């Protein structure tokens, strides 16, 4: 049975609406695709939490508070440094093994860039030796932590050994990916695709 042109009008209308909205949707970081962030499937705990507003699970909520906004309660994790003594740990545990090639970390910068962690160690599946060590910058930009090789794991501990000197250091977001995220995709997710050459 042939459809008359009149029957096609609703389909054409909605196609037009989607085409008109697509540039706006592409700017929304929640719509723009990244590889699957397997950190969001983990149970996250910490060695210390400042209080109920700054719990460990906030690092996988998909929100990155703006630097200097003074607005990260319920959206970031930090330690109470008077008792944590400039150290902290984030523990990720998965029900089933996941593959991880790279972590991407956003430091806690809503109050001060000094509340970013500095030196860290990475431990996997309870192994006594750390898989890698590194240093994080005092910045609100994403920081890559590439594993030496892609690993299939059930648990991960990121141990922070010191900070850049802020009163309550922490993390705004920590993402984990099965493959290295392309710079272009990360900048697009951040709404900064104009920076890609």
């Amino acid at each position: 049975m042939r459809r008359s042109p009149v029957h096609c009008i609703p389909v054409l209308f909605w196609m037009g609406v989607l085409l008109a909205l697509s540039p706006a949707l592409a700017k929304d970081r929640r719509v723009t695709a990244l590889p699957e962030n397997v950190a969001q499937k983990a149970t996250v705990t910490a060695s210390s939490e400042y209080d109920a507003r700054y719990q460990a699970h906030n690092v996988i909520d998909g929100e990155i508070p703006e630097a200097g906004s003074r607005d990260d309660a319920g959206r970031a994790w930090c330690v109470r440094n008077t008792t944590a003594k400039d150290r902290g740990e984030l523990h990720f545990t998965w029900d089933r093994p996941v593959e991880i090639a790279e972590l991407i970390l956003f430091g806690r910068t809503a109050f001060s860039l000094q509340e970013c962690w500095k030196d860290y160690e990475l431990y996997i599946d309870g192994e006594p030796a750390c898989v890698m060590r590194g240093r994080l910058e005092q910045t609100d930009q994403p920081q890559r932590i590439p594993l030496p090789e892609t690993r299939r794991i059930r648990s991960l501990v990121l141990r922070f050994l010191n900070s850049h000197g802020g009163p309550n250091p922490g993390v705004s977001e920590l993402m984990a990916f099965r493959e290295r995220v392309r710079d272009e995709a990360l900048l697009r997710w951040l709404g900064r695709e104009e920076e890609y050459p």
Side-chain angles (χ1 to χ4, degrees):
M1 177 175 113
R2 286 181 54 136
R3 289 186 176 270
S4 71
V6 173
H7 293 300
C8 297
I9 289 173
V11 174
L12 292 172
F13 170 78
W14 287 111
M15 284 178 64
V17 168
L18 287 173
L19 286 171
L21 286 176
S22 61
L25 292 175
K27 296 240 183 244
D28 183 342
R29 68 201 290 171
R30 294 180 186 274
V31 175
T32 303
L34 280 177
E36 181 185 18
N37 175 11
V38 297
Q40 293 182 324
K41 293 183 171 184
T43 299
V44 187
T45 58
S47 57
S48 167
E49 294 174 338
Y50 184 85
D51 62 23
R53 298 168 299 163
Y54 291 98
Q55 295 179 355
H57 65 82
N58 292 339
V59 302
I60 59 168
D61 64 5
E63 294 188 41
I64 302 162
E66 189 174 338
S69 66
R70 305 181 71 81
D71 181 24
D72 68 354
R75 302 164 65 207
W77 161 73
C78 68
V79 299
R80 185 179 292 275
N81 216 15
T82 54
T83 55
K85 307 298 184 195
D86 212 32
R87 295 176 73 88
E89 292 182 2
L90 281 173
H91 300 249
F92 290 75
T93 308
W94 289 268
D95 292 336
R96 296 188 201 101
V98 295
E99 287 189 350
I100 297 179
E102 176 178 57
L103 306 175
I104 296 181
L105 182 144
F106 292 82
R108 180 173 186 240
T109 61
F111 287 85
S112 166
L113 291 179
Q114 292 179 314
E115 292 192 305
C116 293
W117 292 109
K118 190 156 106 180
D119 297 306
Y120 68 85
E121 295 176 340
L122 182 66
Y123 294 84
I124 289 177
D125 286 340
E127 296 171 4
C130 75
V131 173
M132 61 181 293
R133 294 177 174 87
R135 176 166 284 187
L136 298 164
E137 300 297 321
Q138 186 174 330
T139 180
D140 65 339
Q141 301 303 305
Q143 300 188 66
R144 295 180 183 273
I145 303 176
L147 274 64
E149 60 184 1
T150 301
R151 293 279 303 263
R152 187 168 176 82
I153 66 173
R154 290 284 301 265
S155 67
L156 176 151
V157 175
L158 198 52
R159 180 174 295 162
F160 303 104
L161 307 177
N162 49 45
S163 74
H164 286 278
N168 300 299
V171 173
S172 291
E173 190 75 12
L174 189 98
M175 308 162 91
F177 298 100
R178 293 184 173 100
E179 59 195 53
R180 183 176 166 84
V181 177
R182 293 172 53 211
D183 290 341
E184 180 183 13
L186 184 57
L187 288 171
R188 189 180 298 123
W189 185 79
L190 290 167
R192 294 168 23 206
E193 57 268 41
E194 70 282 353
E195 296 178 27
Y196 192 77

